[in-house]
Amino acid sequence: MKELLATVKENRELAKDIRAITLTLPEPVGKIKGGQFANLSAGDKSFPLKRPLGICEVNNNDITLCYQLKGEGTRSISSAEAGDKLSVLLPLGNGFDLGGAHNIAVVGGGVGIFPLAAVISEYAGKKNFFSYIGFRGAEYACLTERFERGGKLIVATDDGSIGFHGNAVQAFLADYEEGKFDLIISCGPPVMLRALKSALKERKINTKCFVSLEERMGCGIGACLVCACKKTDGHNARVCKDGPVFDITEVEL
């Protein structure tokens, strides 16, 4: 983990209210795994806390972080232009460990697709991915070409404007029997992860499943406890430091 002053290389729109910012780091930070994240300065002293953003792509010393325009902090980031300098702390958290799995189901919703895209890039050509990614509608869809590189892709939209009419979990379940998956990885809003956990239990699907949790964060290094989540054993965990990736059976959703 290093705190560096990075140079903005590009800051572009991907879809409605979704952007990607590419930063050039002044020095290497070591191996970055899919599922890890970065804390990025908003570039404005009136926002003292950095924003936790999923690392979507790594290309030597260039890293791409994707984000949704939600508040004044992310809107400040969206105004950064090529050549601007932003402080970034990375890599943070624990990424996805695919182990010996070969056929992997990828279930993502909304901004949760960003760390999943990084996993596919990391293991491109080494694993078979079957991706089920959901958006509210066609205008929010992005990064589909990244998922297509990993193997099979089914896009789901809540309004049916493109692809499967429904959400990513429903698309995954409709296709489950065909997949013969030996691992499931997922990231998305809490309601989506709860639906996935319930469906796996109800259908007695025992395939190992790792989920990346989305939580509000303060420090990003486990000191402030803002992002604490409950584990099924009664203990608490820090999403930023102990996660954000957990076995789905270990956390309450």
Side-chain angles (χ1 to χ4, degrees):
M1 175 182 67
K2 295 182 179 181
E3 183 164 14
L4 302 171
L5 192 62
T7 302
V8 177
K9 185 175 183 178
E10 184 182 44
N11 195 1
R12 64 190 179 93
E13 185 179 54
L14 293 180
K16 183 178 180 180
D17 294 334
I18 302 294
R19 298 185 65 86
I21 185 168
T22 299
L23 306 170
T24 299
L25 305 179
E27 62 183 78
V29 294
K31 172 69 174 176
I32 297 177
K33 290 186 63 62
Q36 290 187 293
F37 66 98
N39 262 13
L40 181 65
S41 166
D44 185 329
K45 291 182 179 180
S46 62
F47 302 105
L49 292 179
K50 292 181 173 65
R51 267 46 182 180
L53 304 179
I55 298 173
C56 191
E57 188 173 12
V58 180
N59 184 12
N60 296 319
N61 279 7
D62 287 350
I63 63 159
T64 298
L65 312 174
C66 295
Y67 60 101
Q68 181 179 31
L69 297 176
K70 293 190 69 174
E72 293 304 315
T74 49
R75 293 193 182 280
S76 178
I77 292 172
S78 74
S79 68
E81 299 178 344
D84 289 349
K85 304 284 188 179
L86 294 177
S87 175
V88 62
L89 182 66
L90 79 167
L92 299 172
N94 300 302
F96 287 95
D97 184 0
L98 306 189
H102 189 62
N103 295 325
I104 301 158
V106 179
V107 185
V111 297
I113 71 169
F114 302 149
L116 299 175
V119 174
I120 289 179
S121 293
E122 181 182 356
Y123 290 93
K126 301 174 184 177
K127 307 283 186 180
N128 296 325
F129 292 99
F130 302 78
S131 300
Y132 309 87
I133 59 175
F135 305 97
R136 282 185 283 171
E139 66 271 33
Y140 297 96
C142 59
L143 300 182
T144 54
E145 71 285 351
R146 294 277 299 278
F147 289 89
E148 286 175 338
R149 293 177 202 158
K152 180 176 179 178
L153 168 65
I154 293 180
V155 174
T157 50
D158 294 342
D159 61 6
S161 51
I162 56 171
F164 180 91
H165 190 177
N167 59 50
V169 174
Q170 291 169 333
F172 159 70
L173 293 173
D175 207 40
Y176 179 78
E177 296 300 330
E178 300 296 324
K180 297 181 173 60
F181 308 119
D182 44 20
L183 181 68
I184 304 164
I185 63 172
S186 182
C187 184
V191 64
M192 189 202 88
L193 298 182
R194 284 194 293 270
L196 176 61
K197 186 173 185 177
S198 295
L200 295 178
K201 183 177 181 180
E202 291 170 3
R203 298 190 179 210
K204 296 182 171 56
I205 296 173
N206 297 317
T207 305
K208 195 168 192 63
C209 178
F210 290 118
V211 295
S212 179
L213 303 186
E214 297 177 352
E215 288 286 348
R216 287 185 176 273
M217 296 181 185
C219 67
I221 58 174
C224 70
L225 305 181
V226 167
C227 64
C229 70
K230 291 185 178 180
K231 299 184 70 178
T232 52
D233 63 5
H235 293 89
N236 290 330
R238 298 160 296 181
V239 172
C240 68
K241 188 172 179 64
D242 302 318
V245 177
F246 297 92
D247 187 306
I248 198 170
T249 63
E250 295 179 347
V251 287
E252 294 185 9
L253 298 171

